[in-house]
Amino acid sequence: MSELDDALYEQVTELSQAGNVLFDAGDLDAANEKFDAAWELLPQPPTQWEAALWLLAAKADIHFAREQYAEAAAVLTRAAMCPDGLGNPILHLRMGQAQFELGDKSRAGNEFTMAYMTAGADIFEDEDPKYLDYLKTILQPPVGQDTL
């Protein structure tokens, strides 16, 4: 994995942080513009850079918030190909949610399991409880525990 030079990294980070603030404020269009601007700064091929992972994850969050679940899943698939993408619990959680909403419960269960096995139940804390509730129907609690 290559590293961006410091000046470029700072620009990408600033745009990404601005996008996160706009996302949190509910301005999805403006957030998307910031993430796109940051993406455009990445040298080719963009997926070789660590920043690509969090930019694509942010784009997937926007699609998910817009209930564009197929688009979110497509972006998450691309994010998984970035450095540190495979096995990333946040990507697995969001992919599980997208697949759940698309009706692919089997795939959702696999993704939720990966998220849980990597990060524990805490990763579900700020999410709709239906996702952890579903995981509880397919995954046994760890030995010595009564629940996930």
Side-chain angles (χ1 to χ4, degrees), residues 1 6 11 16-18 20-21 26 29 41 47 53 58 61 67 70-71 85-86 90 110 112 115-116 120 122 132 139:
M1 165 179 56
D6 290 344
Q11 286 180 291
S16 180
Q17 289 172 343
N20 289 335
V21 168
D29 291 335
L41 294 175
T47 53
L53 175 65
D61 284 346
E67 300 181 359
E71 292 86 346
L86 289 176
I90 303 226
N110 290 338
F112 288 151
Y116 177 82
D122 289 348
L132 183 57
L139 191 64

Side-chain angles (χ1 to χ4, degrees), residues 44-62:
Q44 294 296 318
T47 53
Q48 76 176 320
W49 307 101
E50 179 185 342
L53 175 65
W54 28 276
L55 291 171
L56 289 172
K59 298 276 291 177
D61 284 346
I62 289 171

